[in-house]
Amino acid sequence: MTETQTRVRTVALAGNPNVGKTTLFNALTGSHQKVANYPGVTVERKSGRLAGVRAGGDGAPSTSAPGVEVVDLPGTYSLAPKSVDERVAFDALVGRIPGEPAPDVVVCVVDATNLERNLYLVTQVLDLGLPTVVALNMTDALDEAGIEIDVAGLAERLGVPVVETAARSGRGIDALREAVLDPPPPAQGVGWELMPAVQAAVAPLAEALGAESDVPPSQLHAEALGALTSDPLLAVWERRAPRFHQDVLDTRAALDARPVMYRMAEMTGRYGWISPVAADVVRQTAAAGQVTVSDKIDAVVTHRVWGPLIFGGVLLVIFQAVFSWAVPAMDAIEWLVGVTGQGMRAVLPDGVFEDVMVEGALTGVGNVLVFLPQILLLFLFLGIMEDTGYMARTAFIMDRAMRKVGLSGGSVVPMLSAYACAIPGIMAARTLADERERIITIMVVPLQGCSARLPVYVLFIAAFIPAGSLFGVIGYQGLAMTSLYVLGTLMAFAAAWVLRKWVFKGTGSSFVMELPPYRMPQPRYLWRRMVDRSKVFVVRAGKIIFGLSIVLWVLASYPKLDPPPALAAQMEAADQAAQDARQSLVDIDLSGRAELEGTERASIESALEAADAESLVAQNEWAGYQVRNSYIGRFGHALEPIMRPLGFDWKISAGIVASFAAREVIVSALATIYSAGADADEESLALRDAIKADTYPDGTKVFTPLVAVSLLVFFVFALQCMSTLAIAKRELNSWFWPAVMWGYMFVLAYGFSFAIYQGGKLLGLG
């Protein structure tokens, strides 16, 4: 590499949302990626080491680019930030993030099919005076869009290299790497003009900022203009440059008095330059104006009536597939855990350590891994929706409904993300510019059916919902699961309406989005995203479940008690009878008398079988006695009077409390309480049979279909996830709203479960 190349240490990817920036980042970095948080904020910092570049582009072997870090900045339409994500993108470009200098090179990723809109951000980046390369991405879609671009003419107008890329197919990636490692000199900006009154005001402000700060001279004009037109950018200088801050306020007052539309001056000036440039370099081909395949599909899938129906059908297919397709893989994991448990018992000495490792630790691992196939399937479908462009259509479709509850279509993306996990859904709300809408979205996102609810749904749906189908097509179990997700979504809308109407009053924000063309998903990127997101989920939930499974085993196993005298006598008698029968069989084998091999052996074997069954019954009774009098049993008994109106006994109550760490923990909690063994998960027949067979002292069933429905509905609404509360606190910088969130969701859960259980009993369904 040349001397110029060795000086490149940091490359920043900047661009509008949905321009293929993340796909380009993946192509540039390969597997050398890491995710952390920017200091002081919850915005994720995704970075990676620049992968190899072909020397000279002549097919020679690729060489490495040591020490070159590529940072994928949050998507932004402008450097006048409104959201937290946009603010981070701006601060990263100007070197205002603690410990991170400004990037050595900026790659502006541009959607080739929407050049004019994308050039607005490009001109702002060029005004910062940083070495810049423009990646003209999505060039593979130009033919369908009926567009041709004069790339050389565009590069000449911008004064920086323009590289044609199609990140999804890998076209142009080597050329972009070369351009990054041998970058042009700092950009000089373009010749756009401000209206004279605003330009006359910005010039002295830039001079004042230069005298009071260490802003590079090349960025003074851009910083001064940003402070004049953007409140978030002005707020930066209140402490850093107080005189400049006051000068801007005075200048604003003077311009307001005239009046001068200074806040719109930048947009007017930039598009005054961009529009003729785009008209010169973009040529519409003969195909322009024709109805594209995307247009034809959108005529159906975004239709006012058919759109929501199709969306509902898509959700039904997804959840039916998640319920049924994952079964073989889950069975295999269940078998593997069972075999592993048997092997561990064979090699470990009998005692407490063996029980902790098998019934505690291995159970915890199994309860994490067993529903991983369902999580992967869910992420697969969400990834397909996102990559094909249908995810954006769902936001467009749902915008009409969202406006009725005071939100916009922009809130749909966080809410859809929450179907996998509420945490990324809450974090996705950072892109919302309106603070009230952001808080409302965070408050209702946990009502969406996250993947952590799946084990709970699977366990009780499989145990109490028939396996038949409606009209021979739609399975009852898949329909039940879909209904639970729909119920949560509808309640999220209702909660948003209440919050907007009674708590966060005011006019809702506007929502503008561009529908990308439909595309075929790229399997390698789809698989990588599935694995990465599932890995994050398993690590987050797995640590909690693993540790809590051991804690639950301890709470359910201690204090150690001796069996009651009558039960001890029953166990001893059964064990003695079994021992005597086995000894009799040994005696027959040793005697060598053929006449004893007939009816006498059969009789003894029958007696042995009866003794073993009696011993198992006694052992189960002892296990039940132990759990009822353990720490967790006592705690469950204390809560039972509060939860009994919902149909929940002490075991369910104890499981609900344990599941506050993570919803899916109730499965391992019930498995421990019912002594279902190390292979007990939501697919375990032993656990299903145990809960179905459980009875109260009067012989009535503890679990009935009505109780199961009540519990399922409770988990639809209850915020049983301390990780969600923690991330909400980080995003809102206060425990107040997370506490309100937990409280109103518990009230919903208790109220709906109470109504279902008590109403069902009145109707004779109990």
Side-chain angles (χ1 to χ4, degrees):
M1 294 187 291
T2 68
E3 183 180 352
T4 301
Q5 292 171 334
T6 60
R7 290 199 297 265
V8 176
R9 289 293 177 264
T10 306
V11 178
L13 301 186
N16 295 176
N18 301 316
V19 296
K21 185 164 55 64
T22 299
T23 305
L24 190 65
F25 170 80
N26 291 333
L28 288 172
T29 60
S31 60
H32 310 290
Q33 300 176 8
K34 60 181 180 180
V35 178
N37 276 8
Y38 283 97
V41 293
T42 56
V43 177
E44 286 186 351
R45 182 184 188 276
K46 191 172 185 179
S47 62
R49 181 162 52 86
L50 184 65
V53 57
R54 294 190 181 281
D58 58 357
S62 62
T63 59
S64 62
V68 179
E69 182 185 36
V70 183
V71 181
D72 185 13
L73 298 180
T76 178
Y77 289 103
S78 167
L79 294 186
K82 295 181 180 179
S83 68
V84 178
D85 277 7
E86 292 176 341
R87 179 55 187 272
V88 166
F90 176 81
D91 287 347
L93 289 173
V94 299
R96 200 167 288 154
I97 294 180
E100 295 194 19
D104 299 312
V105 183
V106 179
V107 176
C108 285
V109 186
V110 171
D111 179 358
T113 63
N114 293 282
L115 185 62
E116 184 171 352
R117 184 204 69 195
N118 283 243
L119 285 180
Y120 187 86
L121 178 63
V122 173
T123 60
Q124 288 184 313
V125 173
L126 295 178
D127 284 351
L128 297 178
L130 297 170
T132 304
V133 177
V134 173
L136 193 63
N137 199 29
M138 299 186 179
T139 53
D140 51 343
L142 290 177
D143 289 339
E144 182 183 350
I147 296 173
E148 289 183 357
I149 296 178
D150 179 4
V151 178
L154 178 61
E156 182 179 356
R157 294 294 191 95
L158 296 176
V160 297
V162 177
V163 180
E164 295 181 79
T165 62
R168 292 162 55 84
S169 62
R171 194 173 71 196
I173 300 301
D174 284 344
L176 181 60
R177 287 194 184 101
E178 293 172 358
V180 164
L181 291 175
D182 191 11
Q188 301 300 313
V190 295
W192 72 281
E193 296 180 355
L194 278 169
M195 65 176 67
V198 178
Q199 178 59 38
V202 171
L205 289 176
E207 184 177 349
L209 180 60
E212 200 178 357
S213 71
D214 57 355
V215 174
S218 61
Q219 296 180 11
L220 285 172
H221 186 276
E223 291 274 19
L225 177 60
L228 179 65
T229 59
S230 169
D231 291 337
L233 293 183
L234 174 61
V236 174
W237 304 110
E238 185 172 6
R239 293 185 178 180
R240 295 185 178 184
R243 286 178 296 174
F244 168 73
H245 182 271
Q246 186 59 49
D247 288 345
V248 173
L249 294 178
D250 294 341
T251 302
R252 285 183 175 185
L255 293 174
D256 286 334
R258 295 176 60 175
V260 176
M261 303 295 292
Y262 61 90
R263 292 187 183 272
M264 299 295 296
E266 181 180 9
M267 182 178 294
T268 302
R270 289 191 187 277
Y271 276 114
W273 182 89
I274 292 171
S275 295
V277 169
D280 287 344
V281 302
V282 177
R283 185 174 72 87
Q284 299 290 337
T285 66
Q290 293 184 0
V291 177
T292 64
V293 175
S294 293
D295 294 333
K296 294 177 180 178
I297 298 174
D298 281 340
V300 179
V301 300
T302 63
H303 189 270
R304 184 177 296 272
V305 176
W306 295 114
L309 292 177
I310 292 173
F311 183 39
V314 169
L315 290 180
L316 180 61
V317 170
I318 290 174
F319 298 130
Q320 178 71 21
V322 167
F323 193 89
S324 58
W325 294 0
V327 171
M330 296 176 74
D331 289 343
I333 293 173
E334 181 180 344
W335 173 83
L336 182 61
V337 171
V339 170
T340 304
Q342 294 174 5
M344 292 175 65
R345 288 195 178 278
V347 299
L348 292 176
D350 294 340
V352 175
F353 179 73
E354 179 192 42
D355 292 338
V356 170
M357 294 303 298
V358 176
E359 298 184 14
L362 185 62
T363 297
V365 173
N367 287 335
V368 174
L369 297 181
V370 75
F371 62 89
L372 184 58
Q374 294 177 316
I375 306 302
L376 284 169
L377 274 175
L378 186 60
F379 283 137
L380 170 64
F381 283 106
L382 290 177
I384 291 174
M385 291 173 64
E386 184 176 344
D387 288 357
T388 57
Y390 184 67
M391 187 74 83
R393 270 74 181 179
T394 63
F396 174 78
I397 293 167
M398 299 304 296
D399 184 58
R400 304 184 188 108
M402 300 295 284
R403 290 194 175 281
K404 294 180 180 179
V405 298
L407 298 177
S408 72
S411 297
V412 171
V413 174
M415 294 178 75
L416 284 177
S417 300
Y419 279 121
C421 180
I423 289 177
I426 289 175
M427 296 177 69
R430 293 187 306 243
T431 60
L432 300 174
D434 185 275
E435 183 66 12
R436 292 173 301 180
E437 183 175 353
R438 187 172 78 93
I439 296 176
I440 293 173
T441 302
I442 290 174
M443 294 286 285
V444 303
V445 152
L447 286 168
Q448 301 293 88
C450 73
S451 55
R453 291 177 169 96
L454 276 175
V456 186
Y457 293 170
V458 169
L459 174 62
F460 292 103
I461 288 176
F464 294 99
I465 303 299
S469 59
L470 182 65
F471 307 122
V473 177
I474 304 174
Y476 292 131
Q477 295 179 337
L479 185 61
M481 183 174 290
T482 303
S483 300
L484 295 173
Y485 279 87
V486 170
L487 179 61
T489 301
L490 292 177
M491 184 52 64
F493 286 167
W497 180 83
V498 171
L499 289 170
R500 172 63 79 176
K501 187 173 181 63
W502 302 106
V503 182
F504 299 95
K505 300 179 181 179
T507 305
S509 62
S510 59
F511 173 65
V512 179
M513 73 171 301
E514 189 166 356
L515 299 181
Y518 288 97
R519 298 175 180 273
M520 289 295 295
Q522 295 292 311
R524 64 180 183 275
Y525 295 133
L526 189 62
W527 171 251
R528 180 182 297 169
R529 186 158 59 243
M530 286 171 54
V531 172
D532 289 345
R533 293 181 180 178
S534 298
K535 188 184 301 182
V536 169
F537 176 82
V538 169
V539 169
R540 181 187 68 85
K543 292 178 180 178
I544 297 173
I545 299 173
F546 180 82
L548 195 57
S549 293
I550 297 178
V551 172
L552 284 170
W553 178 83
V554 172
L555 292 177
S557 302
Y558 289 90
K560 286 293 186 182
L561 303 172
D562 293 327
L567 183 58
Q570 180 183 354
M571 294 170 60
E572 184 177 357
D575 290 342
Q576 185 61 51
Q579 183 178 350
D580 292 343
R582 291 189 179 91
Q583 184 60 49
S584 297
L585 291 176
V586 171
D587 293 341
I588 291 176
D589 293 336
L590 293 176
S591 68
R593 296 174 59 187
E595 62 270 17
L596 297 179
E597 293 292 330
T599 57
E600 186 172 350
R601 170 177 284 276
S603 176
I604 295 174
E605 288 177 344
S606 178
L608 175 61
E609 183 178 347
D612 285 339
E614 181 67 20
S615 177
L616 180 60
V617 170
Q619 292 288 342
N620 288 338
E621 289 183 5
W622 183 25
Y625 176 82
Q626 171 69 47
V627 173
R628 283 193 297 274
N629 292 276
S630 67
Y631 295 121
I632 198 170
R634 296 170 186 177
F635 191 58
H637 281 296
L639 289 177
E640 186 173 14
I642 300 174
M643 308 301 286
R644 192 63 180 271
L646 312 185
F648 305 160
D649 75 335
W650 69 269
K651 304 181 194 70
I652 304 175
S653 302
I656 288 175
V657 173
S659 69
F660 177 69
R663 293 177 179 91
E664 61 273 22
V665 168
I666 192 175
V667 176
S668 58
L670 292 177
T672 303
I673 291 172
Y674 279 100
S675 302
D679 61 346
D681 51 65
E682 67 273 15
E683 290 288 337
S684 171
L685 293 178
L687 178 56
R688 293 179 191 174
D689 292 342
I691 63 176
K692 291 169 72 174
D694 194 17
T695 61
Y696 290 108
D698 62 2
T700 60
K701 293 287 188 181
V702 170
F703 278 96
T704 65
L706 182 60
V707 171
V709 172
S710 176
L711 183 60
L712 287 170
V713 170
F714 185 90
F715 269 86
V716 168
F717 297 124
L719 182 50
Q720 298 296 106
C721 183
M722 62 183 180
S723 299
T724 298
L725 288 173
I727 201 69
K729 187 269 178 184
R730 288 177 57 195
E731 292 293 309
L732 299 173
N733 199 29
S734 170
W735 277 112
F736 174 76
W737 289 117
V740 172
M741 181 194 305
W742 185 89
Y744 94 81
M745 290 182 66
F746 179 79
V747 170
L748 285 176
Y750 196 96
F752 272 81
S753 293
F754 180 89
I756 287 174
Y757 183 71
Q758 297 298 332
K761 289 183 66 177
L762 290 175
L763 295 174
L765 302 177

